[in-house]
Amino acid sequence: MRYARTTRAKTTNDGPATANRGDPVKRPSFQFYPGDWLTDPDLQACSIEAQGLWINMMCYMHEGEPYGYLRRHGKVIQNTTLARWVRLTTDKVDALLTELEENHVFSRDDEGCMYSRRMVKDENIREIRAAA
């Protein structure tokens, strides 16, 4: 896994804060609510394996473009790629994703890209507050 390098952000009048090279600033962490995790009935209906896949997916979604989506460089991440990233067989990942999806843990957009509703909502709130 690649970690974001710490750089001092500079604010411009015509866009978001950027790193010194002009790239958008990558946040090194994301909000995680242990109480929500432990009490979410949809998530708790899933096996511990499926929950483990979900937290890994959330980490990849933190790096996603747009934020909260399982997408890289404009492309939807396919199950085969996800399986490689988490070191499981594609059949196993397919089964775990079915379990997560049947329990409404994640959503999909019109292109079939998986995303975290909570991460997307939190990012929208963050952007609104940053603009104020």
Side-chain angles (χ1 to χ4, degrees):
M1 173 179 271
R2 165 183 116 199
Y3 292 96
R5 151 183 111 111
T6 304
T7 59
R8 182 176 203 133
K10 63 181 178 180
T11 304
T12 64
N13 291 333
D14 46 348
T18 60
N20 293 332
R21 299 174 314 200
D23 299 329
V25 174
K26 291 286 189 181
R27 293 182 300 274
S29 62
F30 62 91
Q31 291 283 332
F32 181 78
Y33 304 91
D36 290 353
W37 179 275
L38 295 173
T39 59
D40 180 332
D42 294 332
L43 183 62
Q44 294 307 311
C46 296
S47 67
I48 195 72
E49 273 185 307
Q51 292 177 36
L53 176 61
W54 179 238
I55 191 68
N56 274 276
M57 290 170 64
M58 288 172 58
C59 292
Y60 294 124
M61 290 172 179
H62 174 68
E63 299 291 325
E65 301 161 5
Y67 187 83
Y69 285 75
L70 198 57
R71 183 186 298 269
R72 290 291 170 104
H73 308 295
K75 295 181 182 177
V76 174
I77 300 305
Q78 301 300 316
N79 295 6
T80 52
T81 302
L82 181 60
R84 234 182 359 265
W85 287 353
V86 297
R87 296 172 202 83
L88 293 173
T89 66
T90 302
D91 288 342
K92 184 63 171 181
V93 166
D94 289 344
L96 295 173
L97 288 173
T98 297
E99 181 181 351
L100 290 166
E101 192 160 24
E102 286 176 351
N103 284 291
H104 310 284
V105 172
F106 64 84
S107 293
R108 291 183 188 265
D109 66 11
D110 293 338
E111 295 178 55
C113 182
M114 295 173 274
Y115 67 93
S116 165
R117 294 179 302 275
R118 177 68 179 260
M119 292 175 78
V120 170
K121 180 181 123 190
D122 287 351
E123 179 68 2
N124 288 336
I125 291 169
R126 188 197 68 74
E127 288 175 353
I128 289 167
R129 288 179 180 159

